Each structure stands twice: as structure tokens, then as C-alpha cells.
Amino acid sequence: MTIKNILKYLISLAIAGGLLWFTFQQSHLDAGDLWAKISAADYRWVLASALMTIIAHWSRAERWRVLLEPVVPQRPTAIDATASVLTGYLANLALPRAGEVARCGTLYRLSGVPVNVSFGTVVAERLIDVLMLLVLLAATFVLEFDRLSQFFMEFFGSKVGGQPAGAGSGASGILLLLGAVLAGLALLGWFLYSRYRDALGRHPLYQKVMGFTKGLLEGLLSIRKLNRPGAFIAHTVLIWVMYYLMSYTLFFAMPATANLSPLAGLTILVVGSLGMAAPTPGGIGSFHLLVGQVAILYGLTSQDGQVLATFIHGVSTLMVIILGVLSLLVVLLRRNKATTADDVLTDPNSVRLER
């Protein structure tokens, strides 16, 4: 790990720790009360949530296989794709945004799928998920407009309201200047490329970069070449339905949250997804802050909202760790078997059977 990656990890960890400390200070929830409420939960609902989690991860792996079908000759198995997805989730807990690289690298080791192509399909997959999240966000705003408008006004109102006079025009000037600089750099880059294009084309590094970019675009555009578009759509819907049920079933595990409505589950899914997208390890801190605050809109106390946020995040993280470690074991076993087979084939003292 480079110094740059270490610094990025420490910064994200500091942000997560600061947000977590702030949320618990705001709710006045101590560790003893938190543990007492979580330990008294009905863990049969946790098992139901765990089942939904497994289905969601399997469905994501299957959707990935559908994306890979038209762009690579290799046909990764369901086990290889699922192990790769879960390994990526485990890597994200250690370092935000490292999961995509770990996921594609694992699939390459298991099935030989080129990393640049598989990474392109992951980018395409993420774009679809962002679109789904925007659709759910719009639906949630329509269905729960009063609650969510109140939430965002209170959550961001102090920052907007406290903006000093003239700050808006100053920010606009900075944005215009930044846009002009970026446009100038783009024009300069295009001029240099046009002038030295032939020389660049002969450079080995340029050829490698262009080859990687070509594979990335092939993976990204794989969504236009789907052999099974119906399966892709079905898995996309199944993934998000399972995401919803993963958290909604946990409402019934504790008396304080058992009466929350299905719309509360939808709101918490959307807001929680925004929290998980923050640059913190596994959404720690950001998820607790957003979900804990929005739960108050549905009649929970600040303490119960924070208990719910911690409970949902804790169950999800524990499942990622368990399934991720099991996937790592699968990867290691597969690699050991491959190494043993290579040794037998290359060992001059090995027994050879002849017809």
C-alpha cells in the first residue's frame, strides 16, 4: 500500500470516526443502552434479513455474468462471480472504492476475464444502480414529500441560511474561472494531441493506455449488446427489492420500530444508500447520521433512531465480513488447486498415462 492510499484511508477513517462521534453525542446514546436494546432484539428477523442479503449478492453476481456474456469468451461460473462480488464488498470495508478493483482482480484470477473489460461492466452496472436510486429517490419524494422536505430543510438549512452576503456571487465567479481554466487545458491538450498524434501512436505506454481504454469501453457498452436483457432487468429489480427487505425486516426485530410503515422502509433505504455512498469505510458514520435523523420523522426518539441505524448497519457489515471471508477461502482454495495442477503437469517425475 502506497503512502497516498494510507493517507486516503486515514482521512476516510477520521471522517467516519468524527461523524460517528457526532451522531452519538447528538442522540445522547451511550454504549450500555445501545447494547441492551440490540441484544434484546428478536434475531429470527436477523436471519430473515441475512437470507435477503445472500439473495441480493447472488443476484448481483448473476447480473454481472449477464453483462459479461457479450464481451468476453470466458464464462465465469456463478460461484466465481459471487466470490468476486463478495471479495469486493469486503475490500470496500478496508478502503473505500477499492472494492471494484478487488472484485475485477479476483474474477481475473478465478476465470481469466481481463480486468479492463470487467471493470467497464462494473462501471455500467454502477450507472444502472445510480439510475435506480434516482428513481427511488424521486418516488420517495413524491410519496413522502412533507417529511423529506422537512428533513432536508432542517438538515441543511443552517448551512444555507448562514451563508454570508455576497458568498453566492463569489462562488459563481470561482466556478466561472475554474470552467475557463478547464476549457483552456482541454484545448491545449487537443492541440498537443493533434500535433504529436503520430509520435504518440508509436509509444508503448500510449499503446497500453489505449488498449486498456478500449477494453474499458467494451465493458461499459456491454449493456447495449445484452444477450438476455430480460434477465438483466429482472436481476436489477430483484437486487433492489432485496435491499429494501434487508432493512425493512429488521424493523420487526425491536419493539420500538416494529410499527414503522413500509414507506418508512423505503425512505430509510434511499437515505441509507446515500449514506453508504459517502467516502467512509463501509458508510460508517454517514449512514448512522442520515438514517438516525430521518427515523425521527417517523415518530422515533433520537435514541431509538440511532439504535435502528446502528442495528441495520451492524447486521449488514457483519454479513459482508462473514460472506467476504468465506469468499476469500474459496479464492485461496481455487488458487491452490490450480497451482497443484500446474505442478503435476510440469513435474518431470510425475506419472504420465499413455494410451
Side-chain angles (χ1 to χ4, degrees):
M1 183 179 287
T2 63
I3 294 177
K4 180 181 177 181
N5 287 335
I6 293 174
L7 287 175
K8 285 171 61 177
Y9 177 72
L10 291 176
I11 290 172
S12 65
L13 198 62
I15 294 172
L19 289 175
L20 204 59
W21 176 84
F22 175 77
T23 55
F24 278 91
Q25 285 291 110
Q26 289 289 101
S27 63
H28 304 290
L29 180 67
D30 60 54
D33 290 340
L34 175 65
W35 176 248
K37 291 184 177 181
I38 288 179
S39 60
D42 185 348
Y43 279 82
R44 290 175 297 180
W45 292 106
V46 175
L47 292 177
S49 178
L51 177 61
M52 308 300 176
T53 303
I54 293 171
I55 294 173
H57 294 330
W58 165 80
S59 185
R60 179 172 290 279
E62 286 298 300
R63 188 180 68 171
W64 193 22
R65 293 175 70 206
V66 173
L67 270 175
L68 288 167
E69 282 176 358
V71 293
V72 293
Q74 298 89 344
R75 296 294 300 272
T77 65
I79 293 178
D80 288 349
T82 305
S84 300
V85 167
L86 292 171
T87 302
Y89 281 134
L90 186 64
N92 264 338
L93 288 181
L95 187 64
R97 306 298 174 263
E100 285 77 5
V101 177
R103 170 177 164 179
C104 296
T106 302
L107 190 67
Y108 173 73
R109 293 186 182 93
L110 293 176
S111 301
V113 177
V115 172
N116 55 342
V117 178
S118 63
F119 191 79
T121 60
V122 171
V123 174
E125 191 185 41
R126 292 300 185 210
L127 291 175
I128 294 298
D129 284 335
V130 169
L131 179 62
M132 285 293 297
L133 181 58
L134 290 176
V135 170
L136 290 174
L137 182 61
T140 306
F141 259 105
V142 170
L143 295 171
E144 295 285 69
F145 178 78
D146 292 337
R147 281 194 174 100
L148 285 181
S149 58
Q150 175 189 347
F151 169 72
F152 284 109
M153 287 290 290
E154 292 178 356
F155 194 79
F156 298 107
S158 59
K159 295 180 181 179
V160 176
Q163 189 179 34
S169 59
S172 300
I174 293 173
L175 288 175
L176 287 173
L177 178 61
L178 181 59
V181 170
L182 291 176
L185 289 174
L187 288 173
L188 177 61
W190 177 252
F191 170 76
L192 292 174
Y193 174 76
S194 300
R195 187 178 181 87
Y196 301 105
R197 179 168 50 189
D198 294 336
L200 279 172
R202 294 190 295 269
H203 197 280
L205 179 61
Y206 176 82
Q207 293 173 357
K208 289 182 179 179
V209 171
M210 291 306 295
F212 181 85
T213 304
K214 182 180 178 182
L216 183 64
L217 288 174
E218 286 179 1
L220 184 59
L221 296 175
S222 62
I223 196 168
R224 299 170 57 186
K225 310 173 184 177
L226 292 176
N227 298 333
R228 296 183 291 151
F232 182 86
I233 294 171
H235 280 296
T236 299
V237 173
L238 180 60
I239 288 167
W240 283 93
V241 169
M242 289 301 106
Y243 282 172
Y244 171 79
L245 293 176
M246 282 161 53
S247 57
Y248 183 62
T249 51
L250 292 178
F251 290 2
F252 303 103
M254 295 180 291
T257 57
N259 294 322
L260 289 178
S261 67
L263 278 179
L266 179 61
T267 304
I268 286 175
L269 168 66
V270 172
V271 173
S273 297
L274 296 175
M276 294 298 289
T280 58
I284 296 173
S286 54
F287 182 92
H288 297 76
L289 175 63
L290 292 175
V291 172
Q293 290 296 312
V294 82
I296 298 174
L297 301 179
Y298 291 91
L300 295 185
T301 64
S302 179
Q303 290 85 358
D304 286 336
Q306 200 50 242
V307 170
L308 177 64
T310 305
F311 188 51
I312 293 174
H313 188 273
V315 171
S316 175
T317 302
L318 183 61
M319 287 299 299
V320 167
I321 292 172
I322 293 172
L323 296 174
V325 170
L326 291 175
S327 298
L328 279 178
L329 292 176
V330 169
V331 173
L332 292 173
L333 288 173
R334 288 288 302 277
R335 291 186 65 183
N336 288 339
K337 287 181 180 179
T339 303
T340 303
D342 289 341
D343 291 342
V344 170
L345 290 173
T346 57
D347 186 358
N349 297 320
S350 62
V351 176
R352 297 183 180 179
L353 298 178
E354 298 181 357
R355 292 185 181 180

